[in-house]
Amino acid sequence: MSRGAHSNGNGNGNGNGNNRLSIIAEDENQVPVSASNPKLIRTSNRSHHRRWSDQPPRHSFEVSPPKYDVFNENQRKRRFFSWTNSPQITKRGGWKRLLILALILTAIVIALAIGLGVGLTHQNNSSASASASTSTPSPVPRPFPIGAYAINTFLTTVLTSCTANPATFSCYPYATYNTSQASAAATFNWIISSPTNSASNLTISTSNNPFANTFSGVPLTLQNKGQPDEHYAFSTTLQKIVVPNKTISADGAAANCYYNTTTFAGAMYTKMPYSSAAPPTPSGSSGSGSMSSEGNSDWQPWPYAVNVTQSVHGGQGVPECYEFTNDGKQGPLIGGIAAQASDTMCECQWLNFDL
């Protein structure tokens, strides 16, 4: 029994010894199969992801795997500058061609930038101009009588009672309507304005003119409103200068005579018509050839009658006359002109109606 048992034990031992793993074939070359191990395991029996495309990796737990390559900075630099060793660069003239190409590209970029800048500037200016033209409001119409007017009149009256010497007083244009209609024509250039651009708070000013009657900002008021003689009136005091038309000094020197308290007044009617003999003329022209010194072509004709007067009363020192030297300097006072009564008057009158 014991032998039999031992024999079985050996048999099992041999059997267990022979039960080793079968040979695995890694390719199509077959490994000889022993009689005791008829099974053959091929790689084709393995799943697809467990196959090796070539040789199986040979790793050992006793040897470390190969180290990973660390990126070398010098290698990166060599790779980056490797294009400089290309044949197109290293051959003769390569660097010059590269420089010329770079300059051309730079010039193109600059030209594009300048063109873009100019185009945007022009577009902005055009937009600003268009915006300004569309946003600029149209001028507000000015109510009557605001405006610049050229008024054609005629000298009709000359009085010299205020002075003992009639040669010391005269009126432009030095001829009356009754003596010469053509020579008596004269034009006044007046500007009517208002700080509120309304028919109230009106003022009147003159342009330079041959009368030497210049004033500015004189109040202009409406008189006799609604009546047939409705008119705008003004009055101011100024100095009238007269050059005598004959010698008044003992030595025959030139002289100027001054009327320091002369009243200059005007009435601009709004209903009364002007005379057909004195039609209103635009552009400041007149029969006497006088014209606004500003050359203003916007003077409008006053469409109604006008009455203009220049007057001064007699009295002490009316007038004061002085000699003038050859170099234009004022000389001594000329005596011998007796003072006239205060109720006497010297006057110039210009009308464009009732002629």
Side-chain angles (χ1 to χ4, degrees):
M1 293 292 294
S2 59
R3 291 176 64 89
H6 180 75
S7 175
N8 291 337
N10 290 338
N12 292 335
N14 293 334
N16 293 334
N18 292 330
N19 289 335
R20 293 176 297 178
L21 293 174
S22 301
I23 297 174
I24 299 173
E26 299 296 337
D27 49 29
E28 295 299 325
N29 297 326
Q30 297 184 0
V31 178
V33 180
S34 62
S36 61
N37 295 300
K39 282 187 175 183
L40 177 63
I41 300 175
R42 300 180 182 274
T43 58
S44 60
N45 294 332
R46 294 188 175 193
S47 60
H48 180 75
H49 70 276
R50 298 188 62 185
R51 300 177 191 174
W52 289 298
S53 60
D54 194 0
Q55 295 294 329
R58 298 173 181 175
H59 296 298
S60 172
F61 292 104
E62 298 177 357
V63 180
S64 300
K67 295 182 179 181
Y68 293 102
D69 289 337
V70 179
F71 187 74
N72 193 305
E73 184 66 20
N74 292 331
Q75 291 178 355
R76 185 181 69 83
K77 293 180 179 180
R78 286 195 297 270
R79 290 174 183 174
F80 180 77
F81 292 104
S82 61
W83 61 274
T84 59
N85 297 323
S86 63
Q88 291 80 1
I89 301 303
T90 55
K91 69 182 180 179
R92 179 177 296 178
W95 282 105
K96 292 182 179 179
R97 294 190 184 94
L98 182 62
L99 180 60
I100 292 173
L101 180 61
L103 291 175
I104 293 174
L105 292 176
T106 303
I108 292 174
V109 171
I110 293 175
L112 290 175
I114 293 175
L116 181 60
V118 172
L120 290 176
T121 302
H122 180 71
Q123 181 179 3
N124 292 336
N125 292 338
S126 300
S127 300
S129 300
S131 176
S133 62
T134 55
S135 62
T136 301
S138 58
V140 178
R142 297 178 299 181
F144 180 83
I146 295 175
Y149 297 97
I151 305 167
N152 194 26
T153 65
F154 293 94
L155 177 64
T156 60
T157 303
V158 178
L159 301 177
T160 61
S161 301
C162 70
T163 176
N165 188 344
T168 63
F169 188 87
S170 62
C171 304
Y172 181 88
Y174 316 114
T176 62
Y177 182 81
N178 290 332
T179 58
S180 174
Q181 177 178 342
S183 299
T187 299
F188 292 92
N189 295 302
W190 292 341
I191 303 169
I192 300 175
S193 59
S194 170
T196 58
N197 198 35
S198 64
S200 59
N201 300 321
L202 297 172
T203 61
I204 188 168
S205 305
T206 63
S207 67
N208 292 331
N209 57 64
F211 304 101
N213 298 319
T214 57
F215 51 85
S216 177
V218 176
L220 183 69
T221 59
L222 183 63
Q223 305 290 329
N224 301 336
K225 184 176 181 181
Q227 300 300 316
D229 62 344
E230 176 184 274
H231 62 279
Y232 287 96
F234 69 94
S235 179
T236 187
T237 300
L238 48 77
Q239 183 187 65
K240 177 179 175 65
I241 303 174
V242 176
V243 178
N245 55 15
K246 64 173 64 174
T247 299
I248 63 172
S249 63
D251 58 359
N256 278 355
C257 294
Y258 299 90
Y259 295 83
N260 297 316
T261 57
T262 302
T263 299
F264 188 86
M268 307 175 68
Y269 295 92
T270 60
K271 298 180 183 298
M272 291 175 53
Y274 57 84
S275 172
S276 59
T281 55
S283 302
S285 62
S286 70
S288 64
S290 62
M291 186 172 182
S292 167
S293 63
E294 287 86 352
N296 194 335
S297 61
D298 295 330
W299 299 110
Q300 300 299 316
W302 182 262
Y304 303 102
V306 174
N307 181 6
V308 183
T309 60
Q310 188 180 70
S311 59
V312 58
H313 290 276
Q316 190 64 39
V318 180
E320 292 181 348
C321 297
Y322 294 87
E323 291 186 6
F324 264 78
T325 62
N326 292 331
D327 58 359
K329 294 181 179 179
Q330 182 174 301
L333 178 66
I334 299 173
I337 303 176
Q340 302 300 301
S342 60
D343 60 350
T344 59
M345 179 181 289
C346 293
E347 183 182 57
C348 305
Q349 184 179 37
W350 297 267
L351 298 173
N352 67 351
F353 66 100
D354 288 347
L355 298 172

